[in-house]
Coordinates of all heavy atoms in Angstrom, one line a residue:
M11 N 10.0 -14.6 -4.0 CA 9.3 -13.3 -3.9 C 8.3 -13.2 -5.1 O 8.6 -13.6 -6.2 CB 10.3 -12.2 -4.0 CG 9.6 -10.8 -4.0 SD 8.6 -10.5 -2.6 CE 9.6 -9.4 -1.6
L12 N 7.1 -12.7 -4.8 CA 6.1 -12.5 -5.8 C 6.5 -11.4 -6.7 O 6.9 -10.4 -6.3 CB 4.8 -12.1 -5.1 CG 3.5 -12.0 -5.9 CD1 3.1 -13.4 -6.4 CD2 2.4 -11.4 -5.1
T13 N 6.4 -11.7 -8.0 CA 6.7 -10.7 -9.0 C 5.4 -10.2 -9.6 O 4.5 -11.0 -9.7 CB 7.6 -11.3 -10.1 OG1 8.8 -11.9 -9.5 CG2 8.1 -10.3 -11.1
N14 N 5.4 -8.9 -10.1 CA 4.1 -8.5 -10.6 C 4.3 -7.4 -11.7 O 5.4 -6.8 -11.8 CB 3.2 -7.9 -9.5 CG 3.7 -6.6 -9.0 OD1 3.6 -5.6 -9.7 ND2 4.2 -6.5 -7.8
N15 N 3.3 -7.3 -12.5 CA 3.2 -6.3 -13.6 C 2.1 -5.3 -13.3 O 1.6 -4.7 -14.3 CB 2.9 -7.0 -14.9 CG 4.1 -7.6 -15.5 OD1 5.2 -7.1 -15.5 ND2 3.9 -8.8 -16.1
V16 N 1.8 -5.0 -12.1 CA 0.8 -4.1 -11.7 C 1.0 -2.7 -12.3 O 0.1 -2.2 -13.0 CB 0.6 -4.0 -10.2 CG1 -0.5 -2.9 -9.8 CG2 0.2 -5.3 -9.6
K17 N 2.2 -2.1 -12.1 CA 2.4 -0.8 -12.6 C 2.4 -0.7 -14.1 O 1.8 0.2 -14.7 CB 3.8 -0.3 -12.1 CG 4.0 1.1 -12.6 CD 5.3 1.7 -12.0 CE 5.5 3.2 -12.4 NZ 6.7 3.7 -11.8
K18 N 2.9 -1.7 -14.8 CA 2.9 -1.8 -16.3 C 1.5 -1.7 -16.8 O 1.2 -0.9 -17.7 CB 3.6 -3.0 -16.7 CG 3.5 -3.3 -18.2 CD 4.1 -4.6 -18.6 CE 3.7 -4.9 -20.1 NZ 3.7 -6.2 -20.4
F19 N 0.6 -2.6 -16.3 CA -0.7 -2.7 -16.8 C -1.6 -1.5 -16.3 O -2.4 -1.0 -17.0 CB -1.4 -4.0 -16.3 CG -0.9 -5.2 -17.0 CD1 -0.5 -6.3 -16.3 CD2 -0.8 -5.2 -18.4 CE1 0.0 -7.4 -17.0 CE2 -0.3 -6.3 -19.1 CZ 0.1 -7.4 -18.3
R20 N -1.3 -0.9 -15.1 CA -2.0 0.3 -14.7 C -1.7 1.5 -15.6 O -2.6 2.2 -16.0 CB -1.6 0.6 -13.2 CG -2.3 1.8 -12.7 CD -1.8 2.1 -11.3 NE -0.4 2.4 -11.1 CZ 0.2 3.5 -11.5 NH1 -0.5 4.5 -12.1 NH2 1.5 3.7 -11.3
V21 N -0.4 1.6 -15.9 CA 0.0 2.8 -16.8 C -0.6 2.6 -18.2 O -1.2 3.5 -18.8 CB 1.5 2.9 -16.8 CG1 1.9 3.9 -17.9 CG2 2.1 3.3 -15.5
E22 N -0.6 1.3 -18.7 CA -1.2 1.1 -20.0 C -2.6 1.4 -20.0 O -3.2 1.8 -21.1 CB -0.9 -0.4 -20.4 CG 0.5 -0.7 -20.8 CD 0.7 -2.2 -21.2 OE1 -0.3 -3.0 -21.2 OE2 1.8 -2.6 -21.4
A23 N -3.3 1.1 -18.9 CA -4.8 1.3 -18.9 C -5.1 2.8 -18.5 O -6.3 3.1 -18.4 CB -5.4 0.4 -17.8
E24 N -4.1 3.6 -18.3 CA -4.2 5.0 -17.9 C -5.1 5.1 -16.7 O -6.0 6.0 -16.6 CB -4.8 5.8 -19.1 CG -3.9 5.8 -20.3 CD -4.5 6.6 -21.5 OE1 -5.6 7.0 -21.4 OE2 -3.7 6.7 -22.5
I25 N -4.8 4.3 -15.7 CA -5.5 4.3 -14.4 C -4.5 4.9 -13.4 O -3.3 4.4 -13.3 CB -6.0 2.9 -13.9 CG1 -7.0 2.4 -14.9 CG2 -6.6 3.0 -12.5 CD1 -7.3 0.9 -14.7
S26 N -4.9 5.8 -12.6 CA -3.9 6.4 -11.5 C -3.8 5.3 -10.4 O -4.6 4.5 -10.2 CB -4.5 7.7 -11.0 OG -5.6 7.4 -10.2
Q27 N -2.7 5.5 -9.7 CA -2.4 4.6 -8.6 C -3.6 4.8 -7.5 O -4.1 3.8 -7.0 CB -1.1 5.0 -7.9 CG -0.4 3.9 -7.3 CD 1.0 4.3 -6.8 OE1 1.1 5.3 -6.1 NE2 2.0 3.6 -7.2
R28 N -4.0 6.0 -7.4 CA -5.1 6.3 -6.5 C -6.4 5.6 -6.9 O -7.1 5.0 -6.0 CB -5.3 7.8 -6.4 CG -6.4 8.3 -5.5 CD -6.5 9.8 -5.5 NE -7.8 10.2 -4.9 CZ -8.3 11.4 -5.0 NH1 -7.6 12.3 -5.7 NH2 -9.4 11.7 -4.4
D29 N -6.7 5.7 -8.2 CA -8.0 5.0 -8.6 C -7.9 3.5 -8.5 O -8.9 2.9 -8.1 CB -8.3 5.4 -10.1 CG -8.7 6.8 -10.2 OD1 -9.1 7.5 -9.2 OD2 -8.7 7.4 -11.4
L30 N -6.8 2.9 -8.8 CA -6.6 1.4 -8.7 C -6.7 1.0 -7.2 O -7.3 0.0 -6.9 CB -5.3 0.9 -9.4 CG -5.2 -0.6 -9.4 CD1 -6.3 -1.3 -10.0 CD2 -3.9 -1.0 -10.0
S31 N -6.1 1.8 -6.4 CA -6.1 1.5 -4.9 C -7.6 1.5 -4.4 O -8.0 0.7 -3.6 CB -5.2 2.4 -4.1 OG -5.6 3.7 -4.2
Y32 N -8.3 2.5 -4.9 CA -9.7 2.6 -4.5 C -10.5 1.4 -5.0 O -11.3 0.8 -4.2 CB -10.4 3.9 -5.1 CG -11.8 4.0 -4.8 CD1 -12.3 4.5 -3.6 CD2 -12.8 3.7 -5.7 CE1 -13.6 4.6 -3.3 CE2 -14.1 3.8 -5.5 CZ -14.5 4.3 -4.2 OH -15.9 4.4 -3.9
I33 N -10.3 1.0 -6.3 CA -11.0 -0.2 -6.8 C -10.6 -1.4 -6.0 O -11.5 -2.3 -5.7 CB -10.6 -0.4 -8.3 CG1 -11.2 0.7 -9.2 CG2 -11.0 -1.8 -8.8 CD1 -10.6 0.8 -10.5
A34 N -9.3 -1.5 -5.6 CA -8.9 -2.7 -4.9 C -9.2 -2.7 -3.4 O -9.0 -3.7 -2.7 CB -7.4 -2.9 -5.1
G35 N -9.5 -1.5 -2.9 CA -9.9 -1.4 -1.5 C -8.7 -1.2 -0.5 O -8.7 -1.7 0.6
V36 N -7.6 -0.6 -1.0 CA -6.4 -0.4 -0.2 C -6.0 1.1 -0.3 O -6.5 1.8 -1.2 CB -5.2 -1.3 -0.6 CG1 -5.6 -2.8 -0.4 CG2 -4.8 -1.1 -2.1
T37 N -5.0 1.5 0.5 CA -4.5 2.8 0.4 C -3.6 3.0 -0.8 O -3.1 2.0 -1.4 CB -3.7 3.3 1.6 OG1 -2.6 2.4 1.7 CG2 -4.6 3.1 2.9
R38 N -3.4 4.2 -1.3 CA -2.5 4.4 -2.4 C -1.1 4.0 -2.0 O -0.3 3.5 -2.8 CB -2.5 5.9 -2.8 CG -1.7 6.2 -4.1 CD -1.1 7.6 -4.2 NE -0.4 8.0 -3.0 CZ 0.9 7.6 -2.8 NH1 1.5 6.8 -3.6 NH2 1.5 8.1 -1.7
Q39 N -0.7 4.2 -0.7 CA 0.6 3.8 -0.2 C 0.8 2.3 -0.4 O 1.9 1.8 -0.7 CB 0.8 4.3 1.2 CG 0.9 5.8 1.4 CD -0.4 6.5 1.4 OE1 -1.5 5.9 1.3 NE2 -0.4 7.8 1.6
T40 N -0.2 1.6 0.0 CA -0.2 0.1 -0.2 C 0.0 -0.3 -1.6 O 0.8 -1.2 -2.0 CB -1.4 -0.6 0.4 OG1 -1.5 -0.3 1.8 CG2 -1.4 -2.1 0.3
M41 N -0.7 0.4 -2.5 CA -0.6 0.1 -3.9 C 0.8 0.4 -4.4 O 1.4 -0.4 -5.2 CB -1.6 0.9 -4.8 CG -1.7 0.5 -6.2 SD -2.1 -1.3 -6.5 CE -3.8 -1.3 -5.8
S42 N 1.4 1.5 -3.9 CA 2.8 1.8 -4.3 C 3.7 0.7 -3.9 O 4.6 0.3 -4.6 CB 3.2 3.1 -3.6 OG 4.5 3.4 -3.9
L43 N 3.6 0.2 -2.6 CA 4.4 -0.9 -2.1 C 4.3 -2.1 -2.9 O 5.3 -2.8 -3.2 CB 4.2 -1.1 -0.7 CG 4.6 0.0 0.3 CD1 4.0 -0.3 1.7 CD2 6.1 0.2 0.3
I44 N 3.1 -2.5 -3.4 CA 2.8 -3.6 -4.2 C 3.5 -3.5 -5.5 O 4.2 -4.4 -6.0 CB 1.3 -3.8 -4.4 CG1 0.6 -4.2 -3.1 CG2 1.0 -4.9 -5.5 CD1 -0.9 -4.2 -3.1
E45 N 3.4 -2.3 -6.1 CA 4.1 -2.1 -7.4 C 5.6 -2.2 -7.3 O 6.2 -2.7 -8.3 CB 3.7 -0.7 -8.0 CG 2.3 -0.6 -8.5 CD 1.9 0.7 -9.1 OE1 2.8 1.6 -9.1 OE2 0.8 0.8 -9.6
K46 N 6.1 -1.8 -6.2 CA 7.6 -1.9 -6.0 C 8.0 -3.3 -5.5 O 9.2 -3.5 -5.4 CB 8.0 -0.8 -5.0 CG 7.9 0.6 -5.5 CD 8.6 1.6 -4.6 CE 7.7 2.0 -3.4 NZ 8.2 3.0 -2.6
G47 N 7.1 -4.2 -5.3 CA 7.5 -5.5 -4.8 C 7.9 -5.5 -3.4 O 8.5 -6.5 -2.9
E48 N 7.4 -4.5 -2.6 CA 7.8 -4.5 -1.2 C 6.7 -4.9 -0.3 O 6.8 -4.8 1.0 CB 8.2 -3.0 -0.8 CG 9.5 -2.6 -1.6 CD 9.9 -1.2 -1.3 OE1 9.3 -0.5 -0.4 OE2 10.8 -0.7 -2.0
Y49 N 5.6 -5.4 -0.9 CA 4.4 -5.8 -0.1 C 3.8 -7.0 -0.8 O 3.5 -6.9 -2.0 CB 3.4 -4.7 0.0 CG 2.1 -5.0 0.8 CD1 2.1 -4.8 2.2 CD2 1.0 -5.5 0.2 CE1 0.9 -5.0 2.9 CE2 -0.1 -5.8 0.9 CZ -0.2 -5.6 2.3 OH -1.3 -5.8 3.0
N50 N 3.6 -8.1 -0.1 CA 3.0 -9.3 -0.7 C 1.5 -9.3 -0.4 O 1.1 -9.6 0.7 CB 3.6 -10.6 -0.2 CG 5.0 -10.9 -0.9 OD1 5.2 -10.5 -2.0 ND2 5.9 -11.5 -0.1
P51 N 0.7 -9.0 -1.4 CA -0.8 -8.9 -1.2 C -1.4 -10.3 -1.0 O -0.8 -11.3 -1.5 CB -1.3 -8.3 -2.5 CG -0.3 -8.6 -3.5 CD 1.1 -8.7 -2.8
T52 N -2.5 -10.4 -0.4 CA -3.3 -11.6 -0.3 C -3.8 -12.0 -1.7 O -3.9 -11.2 -2.6 CB -4.5 -11.5 0.7 OG1 -5.4 -10.5 0.1 CG2 -4.0 -11.0 2.1
I53 N -4.2 -13.2 -1.8 CA -4.8 -13.7 -3.1 C -6.1 -12.9 -3.4 O -6.3 -12.5 -4.5 CB -5.0 -15.2 -3.1 CG1 -5.4 -15.7 -4.5 CG2 -6.1 -15.6 -2.1 CD1 -4.3 -15.6 -5.5
S54 N -6.8 -12.6 -2.4 CA -8.0 -11.8 -2.6 C -7.7 -10.4 -3.1 O -8.3 -9.9 -4.1 CB -8.8 -11.6 -1.2 OG -9.9 -10.8 -1.4
L55 N -6.7 -9.8 -2.6 CA -6.2 -8.4 -3.0 C -5.7 -8.5 -4.4 O -5.9 -7.7 -5.3 CB -5.2 -7.8 -2.1 CG -4.7 -6.5 -2.5 CD1 -5.8 -5.5 -2.8 CD2 -3.8 -5.9 -1.4
C56 N -4.9 -9.6 -4.7 CA -4.4 -9.8 -6.1 C -5.5 -9.9 -7.1 O -5.5 -9.2 -8.2 CB -3.6 -11.1 -6.1 SG -2.0 -11.0 -5.3
L57 N -6.6 -10.6 -6.7 CA -7.7 -10.7 -7.7 C -8.4 -9.4 -7.8 O -8.8 -9.1 -9.0 CB -8.7 -11.8 -7.1 CG -8.2 -13.2 -7.3 CD1 -9.1 -14.2 -6.5 CD2 -8.0 -13.6 -8.7
R58 N -8.6 -8.6 -6.8 CA -9.3 -7.3 -6.9 C -8.5 -6.4 -7.8 O -9.0 -5.6 -8.6 CB -9.5 -6.7 -5.5 CG -10.5 -7.4 -4.7 CD -11.0 -6.6 -3.5 NE -10.0 -6.1 -2.7 CZ -9.5 -6.7 -1.6 NH1 -9.9 -7.9 -1.2 NH2 -8.6 -6.1 -0.8
I59 N -7.1 -6.4 -7.7 CA -6.3 -5.7 -8.6 C -6.4 -6.1 -10.0 O -6.6 -5.3 -10.9 CB -4.8 -5.7 -8.1 CG1 -4.6 -5.0 -6.8 CG2 -3.8 -5.2 -9.2 CD1 -3.3 -5.3 -6.1
C60 N -6.4 -7.4 -10.2 CA -6.6 -8.0 -11.6 C -7.9 -7.6 -12.2 O -8.0 -7.2 -13.4 CB -6.4 -9.5 -11.6 SG -4.8 -10.1 -11.2
Y61 N -9.0 -7.6 -11.4 CA -10.3 -7.2 -11.9 C -10.3 -5.7 -12.3 O -10.8 -5.4 -13.3 CB -11.4 -7.5 -10.9 CG -11.6 -8.9 -10.5 CD1 -12.0 -9.3 -9.3 CD2 -11.3 -10.0 -11.5 CE1 -12.2 -10.7 -8.9 CE2 -11.5 -11.3 -11.1 CZ -11.9 -11.6 -9.9 OH -12.1 -13.0 -9.5
G62 N -9.6 -4.9 -11.5 CA -9.5 -3.5 -11.8 C -8.7 -3.2 -13.0 O -9.0 -2.2 -13.7
L63 N -7.8 -4.1 -13.3 CA -7.0 -3.9 -14.5 C -7.5 -4.7 -15.7 O -7.0 -4.6 -16.8 CB -5.5 -4.4 -14.2 CG -4.8 -3.6 -13.2 CD1 -3.4 -4.3 -12.8 CD2 -4.5 -2.2 -13.7
N64 N -8.6 -5.5 -15.5 CA -9.1 -6.3 -16.5 C -8.1 -7.3 -17.1 O -8.0 -7.5 -18.3 CB -9.8 -5.5 -17.7 CG -10.7 -6.3 -18.5 OD1 -11.3 -7.2 -18.0 ND2 -10.9 -5.9 -19.8
K65 N -7.3 -7.9 -16.2 CA -6.3 -8.8 -16.5 C -6.4 -10.1 -15.7 O -7.1 -10.1 -14.7 CB -4.9 -8.3 -16.3 CG -4.5 -7.0 -17.1 CD -4.3 -7.4 -18.5 CE -4.0 -6.2 -19.4 NZ -3.9 -6.5 -20.8
T66 N -5.8 -11.2 -16.1 CA -5.9 -12.4 -15.3 C -4.8 -12.4 -14.3 O -3.8 -11.7 -14.4 CB -5.7 -13.7 -16.2 OG1 -4.3 -13.6 -16.8 CG2 -6.7 -13.7 -17.4
L67 N -4.9 -13.3 -13.3 CA -3.9 -13.4 -12.3 C -2.6 -13.8 -12.8 O -1.5 -13.2 -12.4 CB -4.4 -14.5 -11.3 CG -3.7 -14.6 -9.9 CD1 -3.8 -13.3 -9.1 CD2 -4.3 -15.8 -9.1
D68 N -2.5 -14.7 -13.8 CA -1.3 -15.1 -14.4 C -0.6 -14.0 -15.2 O 0.6 -13.9 -15.2 CB -1.5 -16.3 -15.4 CG -1.7 -17.6 -14.7 OD1 -1.4 -17.7 -13.5 OD2 -2.2 -18.5 -15.3
E69 N -1.4 -13.1 -15.7 CA -0.8 -11.9 -16.4 C -0.1 -10.9 -15.5 O 0.9 -10.3 -15.8 CB -1.9 -11.2 -17.2 CG -2.4 -11.9 -18.4 CD -3.5 -11.2 -19.1 OE1 -4.5 -10.9 -18.5 OE2 -3.4 -11.0 -20.3
V70 N -0.7 -10.8 -14.3 CA -0.2 -9.7 -13.4 C 0.7 -10.2 -12.3 O 1.7 -9.6 -12.0 CB -1.4 -9.0 -12.7 CG1 -1.0 -7.9 -11.8 CG2 -2.4 -8.5 -13.8
F71 N 0.4 -11.4 -11.7 CA 1.3 -11.9 -10.6 C 1.8 -13.3 -10.9 O 1.1 -14.1 -11.5 CB 0.4 -12.0 -9.3 CG -0.1 -10.7 -8.8 CD1 -1.4 -10.2 -9.2 CD2 0.7 -9.9 -8.0 CE1 -1.8 -9.0 -8.7 CE2 0.2 -8.7 -7.6 CZ -1.0 -8.2 -7.9
W72 N 3.0 -13.6 -10.4 CA 3.5 -14.9 -10.6 C 4.7 -15.1 -9.6 O 5.3 -14.2 -9.2 CB 3.9 -15.3 -12.0 CG 5.1 -14.5 -12.5 CD1 6.4 -14.9 -12.4 CD2 5.1 -13.2 -13.1 NE1 7.2 -13.9 -12.9 CE2 6.4 -12.8 -13.3 CE3 4.1 -12.3 -13.4 CZ2 6.8 -11.6 -13.9 CZ3 4.5 -11.1 -13.9 CH2 5.8 -10.8 -14.2
L73 N 5.0 -16.4 -9.4 CA 6.2 -16.8 -8.7 C 7.0 -17.7 -9.6 O 6.4 -18.6 -10.3 CB 5.9 -17.7 -7.4 CG 5.5 -16.9 -6.2 CD1 5.0 -17.9 -5.1 CD2 6.6 -16.1 -5.6
K74 N 8.3 -17.6 -9.7 CA 9.1 -18.5 -10.5 C 9.1 -19.8 -9.8 O 9.1 -19.9 -8.6 CB 10.5 -17.9 -10.7 CG 10.5 -16.6 -11.5 CD 11.9 -16.1 -11.6 CE 12.0 -14.8 -12.2 NZ 13.3 -14.1 -12.1
Q75 N 9.2 -20.9 -10.6 CA 9.1 -22.2 -10.0 C 10.2 -22.4 -8.9 O 9.9 -23.0 -7.9 CB 9.2 -23.3 -11.0 CG 9.0 -24.7 -10.5 CD 8.8 -25.7 -11.6 OE1 8.9 -25.4 -12.8 NE2 8.6 -26.9 -11.2
G76 N 11.4 -22.0 -9.1 CA 12.5 -22.1 -8.2 C 12.2 -21.3 -6.9 O 12.8 -21.7 -5.8
D77 N 11.4 -20.3 -6.9 CA 11.1 -19.5 -5.7 C 10.3 -20.3 -4.7 O 10.4 -20.0 -3.5 CB 10.3 -18.3 -6.1 CG 11.2 -17.3 -6.8 OD1 12.4 -17.4 -6.8 OD2 10.6 -16.4 -7.5
F78 N 9.6 -21.4 -5.1 CA 8.9 -22.2 -4.1 C 9.9 -22.8 -3.1 O 9.7 -22.8 -1.9 CB 8.0 -23.3 -4.8 CG 6.9 -22.7 -5.6 CD1 6.8 -22.8 -6.9 CD2 5.8 -22.1 -4.9 CE1 5.8 -22.3 -7.6 CE2 4.8 -21.6 -5.6 CZ 4.7 -21.7 -7.0
E79 N 11.0 -23.3 -3.7 CA 12.0 -24.0 -2.8 C 12.6 -23.0 -1.9 O 12.9 -23.2 -0.7 CB 13.0 -24.7 -3.7 CG 12.5 -25.9 -4.4 CD 12.0 -27.0 -3.4 OE1 12.6 -27.2 -2.4 OE2 10.9 -27.5 -3.7
N80 N 12.9 -21.8 -2.4 CA 13.5 -20.7 -1.6 C 12.6 -20.3 -0.4 O 13.1 -20.1 0.7 CB 13.9 -19.5 -2.4 CG 15.0 -19.8 -3.4 OD1 15.8 -20.7 -3.2 ND2 15.0 -19.0 -4.5
E81 N 11.3 -20.3 -0.7 CA 10.3 -19.9 0.4 C 10.3 -21.0 1.5 O 10.2 -20.7 2.6 CB 8.9 -19.7 -0.2 CG 8.8 -18.5 -1.1 CD 8.9 -17.2 -0.3 OE1 8.4 -17.1 0.8 OE2 9.5 -16.3 -0.9
K82 N 10.4 -22.3 1.1 CA 10.4 -23.4 2.1 C 11.6 -23.3 3.0 O 11.5 -23.7 4.1 CB 10.3 -24.7 1.4 CG 9.1 -25.0 0.7 CD 9.2 -26.4 0.1 CE 8.0 -26.7 -0.9 NZ 8.2 -28.0 -1.6
N83 N 12.7 -22.9 2.5 CA 14.0 -22.9 3.2 C 14.1 -21.7 4.2 O 15.1 -21.6 4.9 CB 15.2 -23.0 2.3 CG 15.2 -24.3 1.5 OD1 14.8 -25.3 2.1 ND2 15.7 -24.2 0.3
R84 N 13.2 -20.8 4.2 CA 13.3 -19.6 5.0 C 12.8 -19.9 6.4 O 12.0 -20.6 6.8 CB 12.5 -18.4 4.4 CG 13.2 -17.9 3.2 CD 12.5 -16.6 2.8 NE 13.2 -16.2 1.6 CZ 12.8 -15.2 0.9 NH1 11.8 -14.5 1.2 NH2 13.5 -14.8 -0.2

């Protein structure tokens, strides 16, 4: 499962969920699901979120190495 720090960096940057969702081009509800880890965004959406937060992809999103094997077995 994709893990993320979207909420942490959004709060630190004092950006509302609504504003970040606007920047990223998604609904606020989708942003909420991403922050809770209940929605796996596309790489394009991940990058738009990172640009909005002024962070790198590695800082915001990652998969643990062992998770690759778990994904293959599903």
Side-chain angles (χ1 to χ4, degrees):
M11 177 58 104
L12 185 69
T13 307
N14 74 72
N15 280 319
V16 174
K17 184 175 183 177
K18 173 188 171 205
F19 290 129
R20 179 182 60 74
V21 170
E22 285 177 6
E24 298 180 354
I25 299 172
S26 71
Q27 210 175 53
R28 180 179 166 195
D29 289 343
L30 184 57
S31 64
Y32 178 79
I33 291 166
V36 296
T37 65
R38 190 209 50 81
Q39 291 83 355
T40 299
M41 190 60 64
S42 175
L43 291 172
I44 292 168
E45 288 184 357
K46 292 189 278 187
E48 296 177 6
Y49 181 91
N50 282 327
T52 63
I53 189 69
S54 176
L55 178 51
C56 288
L57 288 170
R58 290 193 311 264
I59 291 168
C60 290
Y61 297 150
L63 295 171
N64 198 30
K65 297 291 180 183
T66 67
L67 193 60
D68 287 342
E69 288 175 305
V70 182
F71 296 97
W72 70 91
L73 279 173
K74 294 178 187 170
Q75 188 169 0
D77 290 343
F78 291 114
E79 290 301 318
N80 294 336
E81 291 291 321
K82 288 181 192 176
N83 294 328
R84 288 187 184 176

